[in-house]
Amino acid sequence: MRTPLLLALMLLLVATSCRKEPIYELDQVDLRPPSPDKDQLKTNEEYAAILHANLFQTGLSANALFELGQCIESIGDKELAREVLISNFMNKPGVILPSDTAMRADLDAFITDTYRRFLVRDPSEAERTWFRNLITADPNITSELVYYAFALSNEHLYY
């Protein structure tokens, strides 16, 4: 009588111990920031030339670039100099900006185009969602403000 009970108990233990554990696999996720390879600071002339190309879709003459580079160099606060340069460019005729209506009509396209234009990359899904929520929630945000922020961003300063 003990042997069959012991045998049944052993079979029960074997049956429960042979259950296959589930295998959980994880997708490899790159946790680095979206622009980890940008580590080379642009010169003042490069910054002005790229900013002008981003805003006007045309290049600047060598003389204008030299003058802008000298102007930025002469000002101690480089961020202030860049803010003034962006403001001056934004106030000139010929700046190519999408209208606010066009921006709000297709936010995903606007956000992707802006990232590609200023940062030379696609936005991550988190960045896209953040900008979509920001622009949707605030009717006072214009395409000019978004372009201004991108032009002044730290990532725009680096290659």
Side-chain angles (χ1 to χ4, degrees):
M1 184 73 176
R2 290 176 100 190
T3 304
L5 183 60
L6 187 60
L7 185 60
L9 183 62
M10 288 180 67
L11 283 175
L12 181 65
L13 286 174
V14 169
T16 58
S17 67
C18 291
R19 187 171 49 190
K20 206 173 196 177
E21 292 293 322
I23 297 174
Y24 299 101
E25 295 181 6
L26 299 175
D27 292 335
Q28 293 291 327
V29 176
D30 189 7
L31 298 177
R32 297 178 307 162
S35 59
D37 300 327
K38 293 182 178 180
D39 58 355
Q40 188 175 3
L41 186 64
K42 294 174 185 167
T43 65
N44 294 332
E45 291 82 6
E46 289 170 336
Y47 179 81
I50 292 170
L51 178 64
H52 190 273
N54 287 339
L55 294 177
F56 296 94
Q57 303 294 310
T58 62
L60 273 174
S61 69
N63 287 341
L65 278 177
F66 179 75
E67 289 176 10
L68 286 174
Q70 293 296 310
C71 181
I72 293 172
E73 193 62 37
S74 68
I75 299 173
D77 187 351
K78 302 298 178 228
E79 187 167 334
L80 176 64
R82 287 190 286 271
E83 288 179 19
V84 171
L85 180 64
I86 296 166
S87 293
N88 283 338
F89 280 171
M90 289 284 193
N91 290 324
K92 285 186 173 184
V95 174
I96 300 172
L97 289 172
S99 69
D100 294 336
T101 306
M103 174 184 76
R104 292 183 186 281
D106 192 356
L107 279 177
D108 286 336
F110 171 76
I111 293 166
T112 300
D113 290 345
T114 304
Y115 267 85
R116 287 179 180 165
R117 179 182 283 197
F118 285 94
L119 305 181
V120 195
R121 66 177 176 88
D122 287 330
S124 68
E125 198 54 43
E127 292 167 330
R128 182 187 317 276
T129 302
W130 189 85
F131 264 102
R132 189 182 313 122
N133 292 340
L134 177 76
I135 294 171
T136 303
D138 190 348
N140 296 320
I141 293 181
T142 63
S143 59
E144 183 177 347
L145 287 175
V146 174
Y147 275 24
Y148 190 89
F150 272 81
L152 204 54
S153 70
N154 285 338
E155 189 176 340
H156 189 251
L157 290 175
Y158 289 88
Y159 285 115

